[in-house]
Short mmCIF file of all heavy atoms in Angstrom, two decimals:
data_model
loop_
_atom_site.label_atom_id
_atom_site.label_comp_id
_atom_site.label_asym_id
_atom_site.label_seq_id
_atom_site.Cartn_x
_atom_site.Cartn_y
_atom_site.Cartn_z
N THR A 178 101.57 58.83 95.23
CA THR A 178 100.89 58.82 93.87
C THR A 178 99.88 57.67 93.83
O THR A 178 100.18 56.49 94.14
CB THR A 178 101.93 58.62 92.75
OG1 THR A 178 102.90 59.70 92.81
CG2 THR A 178 101.27 58.60 91.39
N LEU A 179 98.66 58.03 93.41
CA LEU A 179 97.56 56.99 93.24
C LEU A 179 97.32 56.89 91.76
O LEU A 179 96.97 57.85 91.06
CB LEU A 179 96.29 57.47 93.99
CG LEU A 179 96.31 57.42 95.55
CD1 LEU A 179 97.05 58.69 96.06
CD2 LEU A 179 94.88 57.46 96.04
N THR A 180 97.47 55.67 91.30
CA THR A 180 97.28 55.40 89.84
C THR A 180 95.88 54.91 89.59
O THR A 180 95.36 54.03 90.30
CB THR A 180 98.28 54.37 89.34
OG1 THR A 180 99.62 54.81 89.63
CG2 THR A 180 98.09 54.13 87.83
N ALA A 181 95.19 55.55 88.62
CA ALA A 181 93.81 55.24 88.29
C ALA A 181 93.66 53.84 87.72
O ALA A 181 94.60 53.29 87.20
CB ALA A 181 93.25 56.28 87.37
N ALA A 182 92.49 53.33 87.91
CA ALA A 182 92.13 52.05 87.28
C ALA A 182 91.97 52.19 85.79
O ALA A 182 92.10 53.36 85.25
CB ALA A 182 90.80 51.55 87.91
N ALA A 183 91.62 51.15 85.08
CA ALA A 183 91.49 51.24 83.62
C ALA A 183 90.45 52.19 83.22
O ALA A 183 90.51 52.81 82.08
CB ALA A 183 91.23 49.81 83.08
N ASN A 184 89.40 52.38 84.01
CA ASN A 184 88.30 53.37 83.70
C ASN A 184 88.69 54.78 84.11
O ASN A 184 87.80 55.64 84.16
CB ASN A 184 87.01 52.90 84.32
CG ASN A 184 87.07 52.90 85.83
OD1 ASN A 184 88.06 53.19 86.45
ND2 ASN A 184 85.95 52.51 86.45
N LYS A 185 89.91 55.03 84.50
CA LYS A 185 90.47 56.37 84.86
C LYS A 185 89.84 56.90 86.16
O LYS A 185 89.87 58.14 86.36
CB LYS A 185 90.24 57.37 83.71
CG LYS A 185 90.98 56.96 82.48
CD LYS A 185 90.79 58.06 81.35
CE LYS A 185 91.58 57.64 80.11
NZ LYS A 185 91.38 58.64 79.01
N THR A 186 89.35 56.03 87.00
CA THR A 186 88.79 56.50 88.26
C THR A 186 89.61 55.99 89.44
O THR A 186 90.37 55.00 89.30
CB THR A 186 87.36 56.04 88.45
OG1 THR A 186 87.34 54.56 88.58
CG2 THR A 186 86.47 56.44 87.29
N ILE A 187 89.55 56.68 90.56
CA ILE A 187 90.22 56.28 91.79
C ILE A 187 89.23 56.32 92.88
O ILE A 187 88.47 57.34 93.08
CB ILE A 187 91.37 57.21 92.13
CG1 ILE A 187 92.53 57.06 91.06
CG2 ILE A 187 91.95 56.91 93.50
CD1 ILE A 187 93.67 58.07 91.25
N ALA A 188 89.12 55.31 93.67
CA ALA A 188 88.32 55.27 94.91
C ALA A 188 89.24 54.67 95.95
O ALA A 188 89.52 53.44 95.99
CB ALA A 188 87.10 54.46 94.78
N ALA A 189 89.78 55.53 96.80
CA ALA A 189 90.78 55.04 97.85
C ALA A 189 90.43 55.61 99.18
O ALA A 189 89.98 56.76 99.29
CB ALA A 189 92.19 55.52 97.47
N ASP A 190 90.54 54.80 100.21
CA ASP A 190 90.29 55.31 101.58
C ASP A 190 91.10 54.46 102.55
O ASP A 190 91.74 53.44 102.22
CB ASP A 190 88.82 55.25 101.93
CG ASP A 190 88.17 53.87 101.93
OD1 ASP A 190 88.87 52.92 101.93
OD2 ASP A 190 86.93 53.82 101.92
N ALA A 191 91.12 54.87 103.82
CA ALA A 191 91.88 54.26 104.84
C ALA A 191 91.52 54.85 106.20
O ALA A 191 90.95 55.93 106.28
CB ALA A 191 93.37 54.36 104.58
N LYS A 192 91.93 54.15 107.22
CA LYS A 192 92.00 54.73 108.56
C LYS A 192 93.46 55.14 108.83
O LYS A 192 94.35 54.31 108.69
CB LYS A 192 91.53 53.72 109.64
CG LYS A 192 90.05 53.36 109.56
CD LYS A 192 89.70 52.44 110.78
CE LYS A 192 90.30 51.08 110.63
NZ LYS A 192 89.79 50.18 111.65
N TRP A 193 93.69 56.42 109.06
CA TRP A 193 94.97 56.87 109.39
C TRP A 193 95.12 57.04 110.88
O TRP A 193 94.51 57.84 111.56
CB TRP A 193 95.28 58.25 108.70
CG TRP A 193 95.48 58.21 107.26
CD1 TRP A 193 95.51 57.07 106.48
CD2 TRP A 193 95.66 59.31 106.38
NE1 TRP A 193 95.71 57.38 105.14
CE2 TRP A 193 95.82 58.79 105.08
CE3 TRP A 193 95.67 60.65 106.55
CZ2 TRP A 193 96.02 59.58 103.95
CZ3 TRP A 193 95.90 61.46 105.45
CH2 TRP A 193 96.10 60.94 104.17
N THR A 194 96.05 56.24 111.45
CA THR A 194 96.29 56.25 112.94
C THR A 194 97.58 57.01 113.14
O THR A 194 98.63 56.64 112.67
CB THR A 194 96.43 54.81 113.49
OG1 THR A 194 95.20 54.15 113.18
CG2 THR A 194 96.68 54.84 114.97
N TYR A 195 97.50 58.13 113.90
CA TYR A 195 98.59 58.96 114.24
C TYR A 195 99.17 58.57 115.63
O TYR A 195 98.40 58.35 116.59
CB TYR A 195 98.23 60.39 114.28
CG TYR A 195 97.74 60.99 112.97
CD1 TYR A 195 96.35 60.98 112.63
CD2 TYR A 195 98.63 61.52 112.07
CE1 TYR A 195 95.97 61.46 111.43
CE2 TYR A 195 98.23 62.06 110.85
CZ TYR A 195 96.88 62.03 110.53
OH TYR A 195 96.44 62.57 109.33
N THR A 196 100.47 58.46 115.73
CA THR A 196 101.16 58.21 117.03
C THR A 196 102.36 59.16 117.12
O THR A 196 102.92 59.56 116.15
CB THR A 196 101.59 56.77 117.16
OG1 THR A 196 102.49 56.45 116.03
CG2 THR A 196 100.45 55.83 117.22
N TYR A 197 102.61 59.52 118.40
CA TYR A 197 103.80 60.34 118.67
C TYR A 197 104.96 59.39 119.03
O TYR A 197 104.85 58.57 119.88
CB TYR A 197 103.54 61.27 119.84
CG TYR A 197 104.69 62.04 120.36
CD1 TYR A 197 105.45 62.83 119.54
CD2 TYR A 197 105.07 62.01 121.72
CE1 TYR A 197 106.59 63.50 120.03
CE2 TYR A 197 106.12 62.67 122.18
CZ TYR A 197 106.95 63.43 121.33
OH TYR A 197 108.00 64.14 121.79
N GLN A 198 106.05 59.49 118.25
CA GLN A 198 107.19 58.55 118.36
C GLN A 198 107.93 58.63 119.68
O GLN A 198 108.59 57.64 120.12
CB GLN A 198 108.15 58.74 117.21
CG GLN A 198 107.54 58.40 115.86
CD GLN A 198 107.01 56.96 115.77
OE1 GLN A 198 105.80 56.74 116.06
NE2 GLN A 198 107.85 56.05 115.48
N ASN A 199 107.89 59.76 120.33
CA ASN A 199 108.40 59.91 121.74
C ASN A 199 109.88 59.47 121.80
O ASN A 199 110.33 58.75 122.65
CB ASN A 199 107.55 59.00 122.65
CG ASN A 199 107.84 59.30 124.10
OD1 ASN A 199 108.22 60.38 124.50
ND2 ASN A 199 107.65 58.28 124.96
N ALA A 200 110.70 59.99 120.83
CA ALA A 200 112.05 59.57 120.71
C ALA A 200 113.01 60.46 121.56
O ALA A 200 114.21 60.11 121.63
CB ALA A 200 112.52 59.51 119.29
N ALA A 201 112.57 61.55 122.04
CA ALA A 201 113.45 62.45 122.75
C ALA A 201 112.78 63.07 123.99
O ALA A 201 111.55 63.29 123.99
CB ALA A 201 114.02 63.53 121.79
N VAL A 202 113.57 63.44 125.01
CA VAL A 202 113.08 64.23 126.11
C VAL A 202 113.02 65.70 125.64
O VAL A 202 114.05 66.25 125.22
CB VAL A 202 113.90 64.06 127.34
CG1 VAL A 202 113.48 65.01 128.49
CG2 VAL A 202 113.94 62.62 127.77
N VAL A 203 111.88 66.35 125.75
CA VAL A 203 111.76 67.76 125.30
C VAL A 203 111.23 68.59 126.50
O VAL A 203 110.62 68.07 127.43
CB VAL A 203 110.77 67.86 124.07
CG1 VAL A 203 111.38 67.15 122.89
CG2 VAL A 203 109.44 67.31 124.47
N PRO A 204 111.51 69.94 126.46
CA PRO A 204 111.02 70.81 127.51
C PRO A 204 109.53 70.79 127.61
O PRO A 204 108.80 70.55 126.67
CB PRO A 204 111.56 72.21 127.14
CG PRO A 204 112.67 71.91 126.19
CD PRO A 204 112.26 70.65 125.45
N ALA A 205 108.99 71.12 128.83
CA ALA A 205 107.60 71.17 129.06
C ALA A 205 107.01 72.30 128.18
O ALA A 205 107.62 73.34 127.97
CB ALA A 205 107.32 71.38 130.54
N GLY A 206 105.76 72.10 127.69
CA GLY A 206 105.14 73.12 126.94
C GLY A 206 104.05 72.45 126.07
O GLY A 206 103.96 71.25 125.95
N THR A 207 103.21 73.31 125.47
CA THR A 207 102.19 72.86 124.51
C THR A 207 102.68 73.19 123.09
O THR A 207 102.83 74.39 122.78
CB THR A 207 100.83 73.53 124.79
OG1 THR A 207 100.42 73.20 126.09
CG2 THR A 207 99.82 73.11 123.80
N TYR A 208 102.98 72.18 122.33
CA TYR A 208 103.51 72.40 121.02
C TYR A 208 102.40 72.22 119.97
O TYR A 208 101.62 71.28 119.97
CB TYR A 208 104.57 71.28 120.73
CG TYR A 208 105.76 71.34 121.65
CD1 TYR A 208 105.72 70.91 122.97
CD2 TYR A 208 107.00 71.86 121.20
CE1 TYR A 208 106.82 70.94 123.79
CE2 TYR A 208 108.16 71.99 122.05
CZ TYR A 208 108.01 71.48 123.34
OH TYR A 208 109.09 71.54 124.15
N GLY A 209 102.38 73.23 119.09
CA GLY A 209 101.28 73.26 118.08
C GLY A 209 99.97 73.72 118.66
O GLY A 209 99.95 74.44 119.68
N GLY A 210 98.86 73.31 118.10
CA GLY A 210 97.56 73.70 118.58
C GLY A 210 96.65 74.00 117.35
O GLY A 210 96.99 73.61 116.22
N VAL A 211 95.53 74.62 117.66
CA VAL A 211 94.54 74.87 116.58
C VAL A 211 95.01 76.05 115.75
O VAL A 211 94.80 77.23 116.06
CB VAL A 211 93.18 75.17 117.19
CG1 VAL A 211 92.15 75.42 116.05
CG2 VAL A 211 92.72 73.93 118.03
N ASN A 212 95.71 75.70 114.64
CA ASN A 212 96.27 76.72 113.74
C ASN A 212 97.19 77.70 114.41
O ASN A 212 97.27 78.86 114.00
CB ASN A 212 95.11 77.36 113.00
CG ASN A 212 95.63 78.03 111.64
OD1 ASN A 212 96.59 77.54 111.07
ND2 ASN A 212 94.95 79.07 111.17
N VAL A 213 97.95 77.25 115.41
CA VAL A 213 98.93 78.16 116.06
C VAL A 213 100.19 77.25 116.21
O VAL A 213 100.17 76.04 116.18
CB VAL A 213 98.49 78.62 117.44
CG1 VAL A 213 97.28 79.58 117.27
CG2 VAL A 213 98.13 77.45 118.37
#
Side-chain angles (χ1 to χ4, degrees):
T178 301
L179 289 78
T180 302
N184 62 0
K185 298 183 179 180
T186 66
I187 294 173
D190 63 15
K192 292 186 291 187
W193 286 357
T194 301
Y195 296 92
T196 55
Y197 173 53
Q198 295 302 94
N199 192 27
V202 176
V203 294
T207 299
Y208 296 78
V211 180
N212 202 25
V213 295

